[in-house]
Amino acid sequence: QWQLVESGGGLVQPGGSLRLSCAPSGFNLEYYAIGWFRQAPGKEREGVSCITSSGLTTNYADFVKGRFTVSRDNAKNMVYLQMNSLTPEDTAIYYCAADRHNGPICPPSRMDYWGKGTLVTVSS
């Protein structure tokens, strides 16, 4: 089955930055909206950001606005999530997912393909 592969997670201190990457395995994501999601220990999965196939429309959860930036490079078949001013509350497994219908909101129920996640730990 098609899937996405996340990379770039790791351990970072509060206030630090990290850039996550999302790459497809077995398909071209040029025509897909890409959503970023995260799941922290003991919490349910929550949406982080969404970017349409063209990159012209982006949406962010309130808790990351002004800190995170989603972008994509369709020529490289890659999507990125730049995370700045990280706090311990950002600690989670981060997932990217692809929506073939290219909606701007990226509801998790509409996402077609998912990655296995990359762990981001924000701690001193």
Side-chain angles (χ1 to χ4, degrees):
Q1 179 66 279
W2 294 351
Q3 65 179 48
L4 300 166
V5 179
E6 305 92 342
S7 62
L11 176 64
V12 64
Q13 292 185 336
S17 298
L18 216 55
R19 189 176 81 157
L20 305 183
S21 298
C22 175
S25 179
F27 69 102
N28 192 324
L29 52 74
E30 181 177 3
Y31 305 106
Y32 292 74
I34 301 296
W36 285 97
F37 304 84
R38 71 186 189 185
Q39 186 165 21
K43 298 183 67 177
E44 294 187 347
R45 180 182 57 195
E46 59 187 355
V48 174
S49 184
C50 184
I51 184 168
T52 54
S53 62
S54 67
L56 295 177
T57 301
T58 58
N59 286 292
Y60 299 92
D62 287 341
F63 54 81
V64 303
K65 285 182 178 177
R67 300 190 298 123
F68 291 10
T69 303
V70 63
S71 62
R72 66 192 301 157
D73 186 340
N74 286 340
K76 295 182 178 180
N77 208 20
M78 295 284 288
V79 176
Y80 307 98
L81 182 67
Q82 178 67 44
M83 306 185 296
N84 299 326
S85 301
L86 287 163
T87 75
E89 288 69 38
D90 295 315
T91 296
I93 299 174
Y94 283 73
Y95 303 88
C96 64
D99 173 15
R100 63 189 174 188
H101 298 295
N102 196 28
I105 306 301
C106 295
S109 63
R110 292 289 86 196
M111 310 311 290
D112 299 293
Y113 308 112
W114 291 79
K116 294 183 178 180
T118 185
L119 177 63
V120 172
T121 302
V122 185
S123 176
S124 298

